[in-house]
Amino acid sequence: MELRALTVLDSLQPQLTGFLQTVCAGFMPLEKEAAAFIEIALTYLPTATPPAERAGLLMQLCRLQYFTGRHGDAIATARASIPLWEEAGEQAGVAEAYAGLAVLEYQSGHSAASGPHARRATEIADASCVLT
């Protein structure tokens, strides 16, 4: 799933412009800007949005949070995607989330927490013939 947005700066709503100015001073890296837009999109998604779509956005946000050094947020976001993937019946998404958690925990210095996530991802992938 890809989320693409084109925003003309002179047509931004005043509330969005104000929010972006509080989150970022000056020019920000593209990853931070993309993360801000995805966070806004997730906030305003209709409640009828399919769980797989919401989970996909969460995983995109998770990667962006990791790239911008927000490792704790990335871990929480990956965890939040798992019940949505399960609700949607998307075993590939569940396996991807656990694999991502394994990497995030390891990179954050929590190697003991990393192992169970990696094993769970492998179990799910093996059981459903999913490549992670």
Side-chain angles (χ1 to χ4, degrees):
M1 173 191 294
E2 286 187 70
L3 174 67
R4 294 181 183 208
L6 176 64
T7 304
V8 180
L9 293 179
D10 63 348
S11 68
L12 286 175
Q13 293 291 326
Q15 299 89 345
L16 176 58
T17 305
F19 170 77
L20 289 174
Q21 289 173 347
T22 62
V23 176
C24 35
F27 295 101
M28 58 185 162
L30 295 176
E31 291 84 7
K32 285 186 179 180
E33 185 175 352
F37 277 104
I38 291 176
E39 287 171 346
I40 292 167
L42 284 165
T43 301
Y44 293 101
L45 271 181
T47 55
T49 302
E53 187 175 334
R54 186 178 293 275
L57 284 172
L58 284 172
M59 290 308 295
Q60 288 286 340
L61 177 60
C62 172
R63 287 183 200 93
L64 294 168
Q65 288 170 329
Y66 173 73
F67 292 147
T68 58
R70 295 170 52 194
H71 298 157
D73 291 338
I75 290 169
T77 301
R79 282 194 178 120
S81 75
I82 293 171
L84 294 169
W85 286 123
E86 290 171 339
E87 182 182 342
E90 296 279 347
Q91 291 303 304
V94 177
E96 177 190 357
Y98 276 113
L101 273 173
V103 171
L104 290 165
E105 293 282 11
Y106 186 82
Q107 293 292 328
S108 297
H110 308 125
S111 57
S114 173
H117 297 309
R119 281 189 291 282
R120 185 72 180 121
T122 303
E123 290 167 3
I124 294 167
D126 287 346
S128 58
C129 298
V130 171
L131 297 175
T132 56

